[in-house]
């Protein structure tokens, strides 16, 4: 019973949730720890910008090409703009950015905290009466939560641009047509919803990474395990959450449409 | 008037800085601390020696409050810490300085910032005052010229010295050392020992050192406690330990060259000379029951008389 895998997962989930809440409770230390926070925002955000943009550019291009092939069968290639914008803003933007961040930031965050744990740095902080959640976890989590949505904005814009490029060059859709339909692809509520999703993904992935780091034991092997678990759990969690959130959003939209 | 003052002073001095009474702690199914009892007086350097992996570090972790004992009482400066809340423990820990085995410096801060960290977190000092203190502490450990280096750029010995500077940044009453000389060459290990002695003599700090380096133990100790099977086998001055008649102590301090221990003679020694141990034997929790298992556990109990650990027949 002690090693029952479900029990371990539940314990891990509980710890992650508590850690997330505790870290958010230390948000008032953010000003005192602004240097650490800015460092993290730089590492998580600025340094991930190029890879995120490159990734999203290609996602947008492939997406435009694929949908363009289908639309061409019906002679509706100019609709590509609409599909790309709606998909990018609501789904692909937040989601793919979250993927890039989990792979690039989440894994390294877990490894970094895990190494601190195994080299007694976390213990040392505790002995110095410096709460490790405030000192280590909070700046990373808040930095993640701030930079996730910002990167999503960049990623989405670049993704749409990639789609426009392919639509224009390979599908022969004039830019005017593309933009005309693109405007109808998303309303302001969709944009906010996309950003909210990104915030949720960022908090989840950040909490999973920090929790795995803080629970590391057993030297180098343990650090590797923490990093691996982070990627697996965070990816699974975001995919699952994305489905739930999208279903919920669709329900709300229909409800609102019914009232109006 | 004069006498009254000095008598109160003597009274304060005589309360032990640290009191362990009947502390028990199990990890998994293994009993690590078994009725551990000892006192550390103010201003002394108490050295805990003992075989690797038998619970010396666990003793320290219980004292710092990173672990809580299953039974027994731990008092620091007269205050019971086993029942403290985390908040109270945080306040208490400001009286502590701890030097971890690897120094445990924060990787993304340079040496100056590492030593400054406790000052930043717990005091409202001006930047100038902080710089002054950091300089003083880093000069004490002879690292001021390396203040801009990061932990990854310096050697193990430097990390330990920097860790020591950080541990004493807030002038703690009690400094704990976990293996201060492990992994260092003899010259640097001796440097650390001299620092520990200087802290005792000049700053009157109470210090507890966990080590298995006997050279260093003799250099720094006011008293030495031999940790064995969850309890203190013998506590005494360095000379008393050096001339100890207990076989296990001799075996340990001579690195196994003397005092070959057999199961039978151990039992005899414990029955004859150590009342706590004989009491334990009678209670049915004797040598066998308390014997720690695990990869790092001492194997001396398994040896037959006259056999040596490198005897090929003895190999598993």
């Amino acid at each position: 019973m002690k090693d029952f895998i479900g029990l371990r997962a539940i314990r891990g989930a509980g710890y992650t949730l508590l850690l997330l809440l505790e870290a958010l409770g230390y948000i008032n230390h953010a000003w005192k720890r602004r240097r650490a926070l800015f460092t993290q925002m730089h590492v998580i955000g600025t340094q991930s910008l190029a890879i995120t943009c490159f990734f999203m550019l290609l996602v947008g291009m492939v997406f435009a090409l694929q949908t363009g092939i289908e639309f061409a069968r019906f002679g509706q290639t100019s609709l590509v703009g609409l599909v790309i914008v709606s998909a990018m803003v609501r789904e692909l933007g937040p989601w793919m950015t979250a993927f890039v961040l989990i792979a690039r930031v989440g894994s390294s965050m877990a490894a970094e905290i895990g190494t601190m744990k195994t080299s007694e740095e976390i213990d040392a902080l505790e002995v110095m009466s410096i709460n490790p959640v405030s000192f280590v976890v909070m700046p990373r989590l808040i930095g993640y939560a701030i930079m996730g949505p910002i990167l999503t904005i960049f990623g989405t814009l670049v993704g749409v641009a990639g789609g426009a490029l392919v639509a224009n060059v390979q599908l022969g859709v004039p830019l005017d047509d593309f933009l005309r339909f693109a405007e109808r692809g998303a309303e302001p509520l969709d944009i906010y919803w996309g950003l909210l999703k990104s915030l949720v993904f960022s908090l989840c992935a950040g909490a999973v990474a920090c929790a795995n780091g803080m629970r590391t034991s057993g030297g180098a092997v343990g650090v590797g395990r923490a990093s691996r678990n982070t990627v697996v759990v965070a990816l699974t969690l975001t995919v699952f959450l994305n489905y739930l959130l999208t279903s919920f959003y669709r329900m709300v939209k229909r409800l609102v449409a019914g009232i109006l | 008037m004069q006498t009254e003052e000095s008598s109160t002073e003597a009274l304060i001095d005589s309360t032990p800085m640290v009191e362990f009474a009947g502390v028990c702690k199990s990890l998994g199914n293994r009993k690590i601390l078994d009725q551990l009892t000892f006192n550390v007086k103010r201003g002394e350097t108490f050295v805990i020696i003992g075989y690797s992996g038998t619970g010396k570090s666990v003793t320290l972790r219980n004292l710092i409050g990173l672990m809580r004992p299953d039974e027994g009482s731990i008092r620091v400066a007269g205050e019971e810490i086993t029942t403290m809340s985390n908040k109270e423990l945080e306040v208490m820990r400001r009286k502590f300085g701890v030097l971890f085995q690897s120094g445990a410096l924060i990787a993304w801060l340079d040496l100056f910032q590492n030593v400054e960290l406790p000052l930043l977190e717990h005091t409202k000092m001006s930047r100038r005052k902080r710089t002054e203190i950091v300089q003083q502490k880093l000069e004490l450990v002879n690292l001021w010229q390396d203040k801009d280096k990061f932990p990854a750029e310096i050697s193990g010995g430097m990390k330990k010295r920097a860790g020591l500077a950080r541990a004493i940044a807030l002038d703690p009453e009690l400094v704990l050392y976990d293996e201060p000389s492990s992994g260092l060459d003899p010259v640097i290990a001796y440097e650390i020992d001299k620092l520990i002695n200087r802290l005792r003599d000049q700053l009157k700090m109470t210090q507890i050192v966990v080590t298995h380096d006997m050279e260093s133990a003799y250099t720094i100790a006011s008293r030495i406690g031999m940790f064995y099977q969850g309890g203190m086998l013998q506590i005494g001055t360095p000379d008393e330990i050096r001339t100890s008649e207990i076989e296990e102590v001799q075996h340990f301090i001579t690195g196994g060259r003397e005092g070959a221990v057999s199961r039978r003679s151990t039992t005899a020694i414990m029955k004859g000379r150590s009342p706590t141990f004989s009491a334990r034997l009678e209670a049915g929790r004797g040598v066998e029951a308390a014997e720690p298992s695990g990869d790092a556990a001492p194997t001396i109990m398994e040896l037959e008389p006259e056999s040596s650990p490198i005897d090929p027949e003895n190999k598993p």
Side-chain angles (χ1 to χ4, degrees):
Chain A
M1 194 61 196
K2 222 174 172 182
D3 291 310
F4 173 52
I5 191 157
L7 201 67
R8 242 181 21 225
I10 291 169
R11 204 176 285 139
Y15 178 81
T16 309
L17 196 64
L18 287 178
L19 186 70
L20 174 67
L21 294 177
E22 197 185 344
L24 291 178
Y26 281 114
I27 207 162
N28 55 332
H29 290 188
W31 178 248
K32 190 170 78 176
R33 309 220 182 282
R34 58 187 180 280
R35 263 176 73 177
L37 183 59
F38 289 147
T39 309
Q40 289 307 319
M41 283 167 67
H42 176 65
V43 172
I44 298 165
T46 327
Q47 290 184 357
S48 304
L49 185 62
I51 179 72
T52 309
C53 286
F54 179 71
F55 196 83
M56 293 307 290
L57 181 78
L58 284 158
V59 168
M61 283 163 70
V62 169
F63 195 67
L65 205 55
Q66 197 57 45
T67 50
I69 292 169
E70 299 301 320
F71 280 140
R73 284 164 54 188
F74 307 101
Q76 297 288 340
T77 39
S78 42
L79 279 178
V80 161
L82 185 135
V83 175
I84 284 188
V85 167
S86 69
M88 274 291 167
V89 168
R90 277 189 268 169
E91 297 293 332
L92 290 177
W95 197 31
M96 288 290 170
T97 309
F99 271 34
V100 175
L101 282 184
I102 288 167
R104 206 198 94 91
V105 177
S107 57
S108 70
M109 204 180 263
E112 190 184 9
I113 298 177
T115 308
M116 287 184 76
K117 179 84 184 176
T118 53
S119 65
E120 297 180 311
E121 285 173 52
I122 300 285
D123 288 342
L125 285 173
E126 241 170 84
V127 169
M128 289 189 283
S129 290
I130 300 171
N131 189 314
V133 178
S134 158
F135 188 81
V136 178
V137 176
M138 187 275 290
R140 283 170 173 73
L141 202 65
I142 302 298
Y144 207 142
I146 293 172
M147 295 319 281
I150 291 177
L151 281 175
T152 300
I153 295 175
F154 280 102
T156 306
L157 286 174
V158 173
V160 171
L165 186 74
V166 166
N168 199 354
V169 175
Q170 281 178 284
L171 302 174
V173 180
L175 205 58
D176 281 351
D177 277 8
F178 184 91
L179 288 177
R180 195 150 47 84
F181 282 102
E183 269 174 30
R184 297 196 214 161
E187 46 184 300
L189 189 62
D190 293 333
I191 297 173
Y192 299 142
W193 182 252
L195 291 181
L196 182 71
K197 259 164 97 169
S198 172
L199 179 69
V200 172
F201 295 159
S202 302
L203 282 174
C204 275
V208 168
C210 292
N212 270 299
M214 294 291 279
R215 278 157 60 93
T216 302
S217 62
V221 178
V223 174
R225 195 189 308 125
S227 170
R228 182 173 63 235
N229 282 351
T230 298
V231 175
V232 172
V233 173
L235 283 183
T236 317
L237 201 62
T238 41
V239 172
F240 184 63
L241 274 176
N242 190 38
Y243 175 72
L244 285 187
L245 288 170
T246 303
S247 309
F248 176 73
Y249 186 59
R250 184 161 165 271
M251 216 169 70
V252 169
K253 266 203 142 178
R254 285 169 97 182
L255 216 72
V256 171
I259 291 166
L260 296 177
Chain B
M1 198 71 180
Q2 186 86 38
T3 46
E4 231 180 354
E5 248 182 48
S6 61
S7 73
T8 19
E9 229 168 62
L11 194 70
I12 291 169
D13 257 2
S14 66
T15 26
M17 189 68 201
V18 174
E19 294 169 86
F20 272 67
V23 175
C24 297
K25 175 78 189 175
S26 297
L27 293 179
N29 296 326
R30 220 180 121 189
K31 197 150 198 179
I32 308 283
L33 306 183
D34 189 5
Q35 299 289 334
L36 177 62
T37 302
F38 69 95
N39 289 340
V40 178
K41 297 179 213 151
R42 280 175 197 272
E44 77 169 341
T45 302
F46 188 86
V47 176
I48 302 176
I49 57 172
Y51 296 96
S52 303
T54 53
K56 301 190 302 293
S57 296
V58 172
T59 310
L60 279 194
R61 294 174 81 84
N62 275 286
L63 175 54
I64 311 161
L66 289 176
M67 281 182 187
R68 304 226 178 200
D70 304 330
E71 275 175 54
S73 132
I74 303 173
R75 287 165 173 275
V76 177
E79 288 183 68
E80 180 68 44
I81 65 157
T82 47
T83 51
M84 275 187 179
S85 69
N86 283 337
K87 271 256 148 56
E88 292 170 310
L89 212 58
E90 272 189 24
V91 177
M92 182 45 130
R93 279 177 185 153
R94 286 178 207 175
K95 294 182 183 170
F96 288 4
V98 182
L99 174 60
F100 285 88
Q101 244 177 71
S102 56
L105 301 170
I106 304 300
W108 63 83
L109 301 177
D110 64 28
L111 294 192
F112 184 95
Q113 291 168 322
N114 260 296
V115 180
E116 192 190 20
L117 186 62
L119 304 170
L120 262 179
E121 291 285 328
H122 296 310
T123 66
K124 291 195 172 10
M125 288 177 190
S126 64
R127 181 186 291 258
R128 232 173 91 200
K129 180 86 180 135
R130 283 201 308 264
T131 311
E132 202 178 289
I133 292 179
V134 174
Q135 179 169 6
Q136 180 203 336
K137 303 296 177 195
L138 276 175
E139 274 171 357
L140 186 72
V141 297
N142 208 6
L143 278 176
W144 178 243
Q145 67 283 357
D146 299 305
K147 65 181 189 301
D148 298 324
K149 289 192 177 145
F150 284 88
E153 302 168 341
I154 60 176
S155 69
M158 287 163 90
K159 276 183 202 162
K160 281 205 177 166
R161 282 189 281 154
L164 182 54
R166 187 181 67 181
I168 59 172
L170 287 172
D171 293 321
E173 296 171 39
L174 176 63
V175 189
L176 311 175
Y177 302 82
D178 193 1
E179 311 271 1
S181 54
S182 77
L184 303 181
D185 68 57
V187 179
I188 301 204
Y190 184 56
E191 286 294 319
I192 301 254
D193 290 345
K194 281 197 286 191
L195 269 173
I196 293 174
N197 278 341
R198 207 190 303 168
L199 291 181
R200 182 189 61 199
D201 298 339
Q202 291 179 0
L203 304 172
K204 308 282 177 233
M205 287 177 182
T206 310
Q207 305 181 94
I208 301 179
V209 183
V210 162
T211 186
H212 39 227
D213 178 352
M214 287 316 299
E215 219 31 70
S216 139
Y218 293 139
T219 317
I220 57 181
S222 318
R223 288 190 303 151
I224 297 177
M226 168 83 189
F227 184 90
Y228 188 63
Q229 297 189 345
M232 284 293 170
L233 185 58
Q234 187 184 12
I235 297 175
T237 61
D239 280 334
E240 284 167 5
I241 292 290
R242 197 181 279 137
T243 57
S244 170
E245 289 174 0
I246 301 180
E247 293 251 359
E248 287 86 348
V249 177
Q250 274 305 323
H251 184 268
F252 181 84
I253 62 177
T254 57
R257 287 174 199 89
E258 272 165 51
V261 177
S262 76
R263 192 175 292 254
R264 253 163 306 159
S265 67
T266 308
T267 318
I269 285 164
M270 283 172 182
K271 276 210 165 131
R273 298 214 178 94
S274 171
T276 24
F277 271 75
S278 60
R280 231 191 284 169
L281 282 171
E282 272 157 28
R285 297 187 291 127
V287 182
E288 284 83 4
E291 187 171 320
S293 56
D295 40 12
T299 52
I300 49 157
M301 306 305 295
E302 310 297 334
L303 302 180
E304 289 303 314
E306 311 305 326
S307 77
S308 96
I310 47 167
D311 190 334
E313 280 177 19
N314 227 20
K315 274 184 186 162

